[in-house]
Amino acid sequence: WIARVYEVRGALDVLAARLAAARRTRIDPALIARGREAVGRGDIKAMIDADLAFHRALYQAAQNPLIEQSALLHWHHIRRAMGEALQTTALREPVWDEHEAIARAVAQGNAEEAAALMRHHSDQASAYLARQMSDASAKNNSVVR
């Protein structure tokens, strides 16, 4: 299910990045700083909130309200999966490096790079979550036996 959610989210995020870059929108660097600060504190709820704030800023920068409305339908699933994924540190810092690169491409008006970076970001997150959930499921199944 979460892989399907990420397929939809990925498509919406790529579209948002492309449209925002066409407008050369500057994403507030404070959003990225807030995410990095949350990582530094190890505050998972704040990391998730900062991640959502970054993506919402991108959706709004696209200036197509249907993107944000559609994406937000799936965020309750994403928040749960992210809460699990962020229990380990492997995903925490790279996410903000990726966000920063996406924001830079958007501000520079490089729609193709912004879209490619967003696709990579979404694919990486989806693959990481799928692996983690599979590992957790295998661990739970071995404990039950």
Side-chain angles (χ1 to χ4, degrees), residues 14 29 31-32 35 47 50-51 56 60 68 75 83 86 91 103 122 124 141-142:
V14 167
L31 294 174
I32 294 167
M47 287 181 231
D51 191 81
R56 286 190 82 170
Q60 292 164 7
E68 184 175 15
W75 268 90
L86 291 171
L91 191 61
S122 180
Q124 289 293 102
N141 287 338
S142 69

Side-chain angles (χ1 to χ4, degrees), residues 6 13 15 23 29 39 47 52 58 67 74 82 85 90 111 123 137:
Y6 265 86
D13 284 2
L15 176 60
R23 292 170 176 78
V39 168
M47 287 181 231
L52 176 56
L58 196 59
I67 295 172
H74 306 288
M82 285 178 69
D123 288 350
S137 178

